[in-house]
Amino acid sequence: MELNSIQPADGAKHYKRRVGRGIGSGLGKTSGRGHKGQKSRTGGFHKVGFEGGQMPLQRRLPKRGFKSLATPFKAEVRLSQLDSLPIAEIDMLALKQAGMVPELARVVRVILSGSITKKVTLTGLIVTKGAKAAIEAAGGSVA
């Protein structure tokens, strides 16, 4: 193979269609643009969503909701989930390894949902007032 003999595979390339070159070509006169109107003119284009001056759909509908960009980095854990863990020293790494919080989580909050019966020690986690009281009532501690 020589550099001067390299060429594209058959069918990979095709010529641009030349429109407006007589009746016999099938694309003469209006060149496939139809008759009159904005889209038949040169430079005749409009923005996506433009409805001819009518108030566009995306502006007619009300604004609604909000998606926080921090959501993937926050996680919640219930007391009942902590109770099911086989370890007593619980931190963020232990929760990630147990699959209770996603790998992306940076902030983990322990909430009062369910109950806890065993003594656990929490480190590096945010704990709600109710959850803290329940953990301490079970003999555990929050650092």
Side-chain angles (χ1 to χ4, degrees):
M1 179 186 286
E2 301 293 329
L3 284 177
N4 63 349
S5 66
I6 296 174
Q7 60 185 25
D10 288 334
K13 296 275 197 178
H14 52 271
Y15 290 108
K16 189 172 185 292
R17 188 168 299 224
R18 293 187 73 213
V19 296
R21 295 296 185 278
I23 297 169
S25 70
L27 285 170
K29 195 184 171 214
T30 54
S31 307
R33 287 172 172 259
H35 293 276
K36 298 187 184 176
Q38 186 177 21
K39 292 201 285 189
S40 71
R41 316 284 188 212
T42 178
F45 72 95
H46 50 75
K47 293 178 180 169
V48 173
F50 182 69
E51 296 184 18
Q54 173 175 299
M55 188 61 68
L57 183 67
Q58 74 270 20
R59 291 192 57 202
R60 289 198 302 263
L61 298 176
K63 292 186 193 176
R64 183 160 188 260
F66 167 77
K67 280 206 190 289
S68 173
L69 295 175
T71 304
F73 305 109
K74 294 179 179 178
E76 282 187 351
V77 178
R78 299 184 176 94
L79 283 182
S80 54
Q81 289 176 299
L82 292 184
D83 204 30
S84 66
L85 280 176
I87 53 176
E89 297 283 328
I90 298 173
D91 60 353
M92 200 176 311
L93 183 64
L95 292 173
K96 285 181 181 180
Q97 286 173 342
M100 287 188 181
V101 297
E103 287 294 323
L104 286 175
R106 292 183 196 157
V107 177
V108 177
R109 181 182 300 269
V110 179
I111 59 171
L112 176 62
S113 177
S115 60
I116 191 160
T117 54
K118 64 181 188 178
K119 182 179 175 182
V120 292
T121 306
L122 300 183
T123 52
L125 305 176
I126 297 172
V127 185
T128 62
K129 279 183 192 173
K132 185 173 183 179
I135 289 166
E136 288 170 351
S141 64
V142 177

